[in-house]
């Protein structure tokens, strides 16, 4: 492991100190326009790496893959012939796919789930977190959580808070890795 010749960003939305990401293969809160806009802007024209469950969740929610992005899906099974993604069978395989497919200057984003974030954490140069805050402090049930990380290794570079989008507000944290050479 070591630095990659490109920036690899982990992009996640979670709630609470428990870092709740999901429940039963989906997000445990409704679509939040502000968060969707931030995600779309950050991943536009990017190579996005995700696990199979995240891929299936995106297809269920949207009815189609992420538009304008190339999806690399970590899976243990051969994909169906009509798959609209590039399969990868390990972290190393996914990094090799990125090397083959990436165009100079193109962003590389890891978008979930929890095991995938954990596996790519050693390679990440940035973590973009959309912390979802409920107006009344309520937290959803969750069965999937963003992995713990060293906040001194990934200090907050920039923090921006959106206005309230219904019952929710999004606090975007841009965390940049320090001290890794």
């Amino acid at each position: 492991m070591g630095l990659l010749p490109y920036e690899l960003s982990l992009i996640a939305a979670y709630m609470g100190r428990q870092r709740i990401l999901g429940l039963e293969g989906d997000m445990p809160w409704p679509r939040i326009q502000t968060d969707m806009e931030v995600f779309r802007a950050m991943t536009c024209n990017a190579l996005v790496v995700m696990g199979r469950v995240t891929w299936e969740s995106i297809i269920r929610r949207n009815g189609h893959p992420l538009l304008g992005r190339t999806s690399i899906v970590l899976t243990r099974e051969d994909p169906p012939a009509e798959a609209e993604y590039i399969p990868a069978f390990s972290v190393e395989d996914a990094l090799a796919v990125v090397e083959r497919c990436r165009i100079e200057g193109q962003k590389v984003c890891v978008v979930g789930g929890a095991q995938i974030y954990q596996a790519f954490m050693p390679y990440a140069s940035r973590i973009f977190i959309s912390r979802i805050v409920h107006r009344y402090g309520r937290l959803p049930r969750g069965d999937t959580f963003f992995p713990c990380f060293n906040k001194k290794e990934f200090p907050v570079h920039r923090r921006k808070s959106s206005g309230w989008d219904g019952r929710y507000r999004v606090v975007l944290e841009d965390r940049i890795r320090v001290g890794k050479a």
Side-chain angles (χ1 to χ4, degrees):
M1 284 185 266
L3 283 180
L4 299 170
Y6 51 86
E7 184 174 276
L8 186 138
S9 301
L10 306 184
I11 300 177
Y14 67 65
M15 285 185 83
R17 289 181 175 265
Q18 302 89 342
R19 302 173 318 282
I20 299 167
L21 284 174
L23 176 67
E24 299 172 358
D26 206 351
M27 290 188 296
W29 53 82
R31 287 179 186 244
I32 300 169
Q33 190 62 34
T34 303
D35 182 47
M36 302 307 288
E37 290 168 4
V38 166
F39 180 82
R40 192 175 303 114
M42 290 172 42
T43 61
C44 185
N45 299 316
L47 293 173
V48 290
V49 179
M50 67 191 86
R52 182 190 49 77
V53 173
T54 299
W55 168 262
E56 290 171 355
S57 173
I58 289 167
I59 298 301
R60 249 190 335 273
R61 274 188 168 232
N62 298 339
H64 55 78
L66 296 171
L67 302 175
R69 290 152 271 200
T70 301
S71 297
I72 301 167
V73 177
L74 269 81
T75 180
R76 292 185 183 100
E77 302 168 6
D78 288 327
E82 70 279 359
E84 299 180 67
Y85 61 82
I86 302 169
F89 302 99
S90 67
V91 171
E92 295 74 20
D93 190 26
L95 293 173
V97 169
V98 166
E99 285 291 329
R100 283 194 312 272
C101 296
R102 187 175 165 277
I103 300 165
E104 183 67 33
Q106 187 175 26
K107 295 180 276 187
V108 179
C109 306
V110 175
V111 298
Q115 292 177 349
I116 305 304
Y117 289 130
Q118 184 69 51
F120 281 91
M121 187 77 67
Y123 301 97
S125 25
R126 289 184 107 128
I127 302 174
F128 291 99
I129 299 168
S130 293
R131 286 192 303 107
I132 310 299
V133 180
H134 192 282
R135 184 179 293 273
Y136 305 110
R138 296 186 183 128
L139 288 177
R141 286 185 319 116
D143 59 12
T144 311
F145 306 89
F146 191 80
C148 292
F149 62 94
N150 182 335
K151 291 181 179 168
K152 289 182 180 177
E153 185 178 7
F154 285 99
V156 173
H157 170 67
R158 207 174 348 209
R159 181 177 285 133
K160 180 181 175 190
S161 180
S162 73
W164 291 99
D165 189 345
R167 293 176 303 192
Y168 299 94
R169 177 170 52 101
V170 177
V171 178
L172 181 66
E173 292 181 357
D174 177 3
R175 295 176 167 271
I176 298 177
R177 184 187 292 266
V178 296
K180 185 171 182 182

